[in-house]
Amino acid sequence: MAAGCTVYGACAAMGNIYAESRANPRNLENLCEKKLNYKYTDDTYTEAVDSGKITRALFLHPLGDSRQYGYGFCQWTSAGRKAGLYDLVKSRGVSIGDAKTQTEYMLSELKTSYKSVWKVLQTATSVQEASDIFLVKFEAPANVGSAVKKTRASTGAVFKDLPESEEGGKQSEQN
């Protein structure tokens, strides 16, 4: 919300992030772990990328071929989006699994490459509205059917329904 989202937009993004990675910035797509014969866990994979054992090329294509697998909060999958994340963390000298940098990268993508999604996150008046566009246009998984939309929005609504802090209170809904 500090970046400019309404409470509904922020909760919708959080619901989708939770669905993608359980809000784990070190999350390697489970299918990739399986395809790699469980050679890596989320943590050992992250450490291997950080150390350079897994190169940029292998981070973009973990099996060394054209197949692509998700990583991080948003389960970035396409080579172009993953390259942007990789290059940013390497330029900063932080871990590929750094939560703050991944959040900044997500916001940068939203503001530059996904402007229609960003606009909705800034103006949304319901979690469902914001969640649907975040799901369909930003996350873009294979299944964006009505059941997935409903589940993601209800997950986002859980964040909205968390008790408000004494400091944040209702003021946070205005941000």
Side-chain angles (χ1 to χ4, degrees):
M1 290 179 357
C5 296
T6 67
V7 67
Y8 305 103
C11 290
M14 290 299 302
N16 275 277
I17 289 167
Y18 188 81
E20 289 290 327
S21 66
R22 298 293 184 244
N24 176 4
R26 298 167 71 101
N27 186 266
L28 173 63
E29 185 176 337
N30 293 343
L31 182 58
C32 186
E33 289 178 25
K34 182 178 178 181
K35 296 269 185 185
L36 292 170
N37 295 317
Y38 299 100
K39 177 179 178 180
Y40 292 106
T41 65
D42 294 343
D43 290 335
T44 60
Y45 182 84
T46 298
E47 291 160 10
V49 173
D50 291 346
S51 72
K53 180 177 179 182
I54 292 178
T55 64
R56 183 179 190 271
L58 276 178
F59 177 69
L60 302 183
H61 302 284
L63 301 180
D65 56 22
S66 63
R67 290 178 282 185
Q68 299 175 344
Y69 296 93
Y71 181 81
F73 273 148
C74 296
Q75 287 296 283
W76 286 281
T77 304
S78 71
R81 293 179 76 187
K82 283 175 80 174
L85 174 62
Y86 183 94
D87 295 343
L88 178 62
V89 300
K90 291 298 183 179
S91 74
R92 292 187 176 178
V94 298
S95 172
I96 193 74
D98 182 72
K100 181 180 179 187
T101 304
Q102 284 191 21
T103 301
E104 290 172 9
Y105 181 65
M106 176 191 71
L107 289 169
S108 173
E109 278 193 309
L110 286 165
K111 291 175 182 180
T112 60
S113 301
Y114 297 88
K115 291 178 182 178
S116 65
V117 177
W118 180 242
K119 183 173 176 78
V120 170
L121 294 180
Q122 292 179 297
T123 60
T125 57
S126 76
V127 173
Q128 187 74 59
E129 170 194 13
S131 181
D132 287 354
I133 193 165
F134 196 91
L135 170 68
V136 172
K137 293 190 175 184
F138 185 77
E139 290 293 354
N143 183 354
V144 295
S146 60
V148 174
K149 288 178 179 177
K150 182 178 179 183
T151 299
R152 297 241 179 154
S154 66
T155 302
V158 168
F159 291 100
K160 170 122 179 26
D161 295 336
L162 291 175
E164 296 175 2
S165 71
E166 290 181 28
E167 286 182 27
K170 293 287 182 185
Q171 178 185 7
S172 63
E173 290 187 30
Q174 296 170 4
N175 294 335

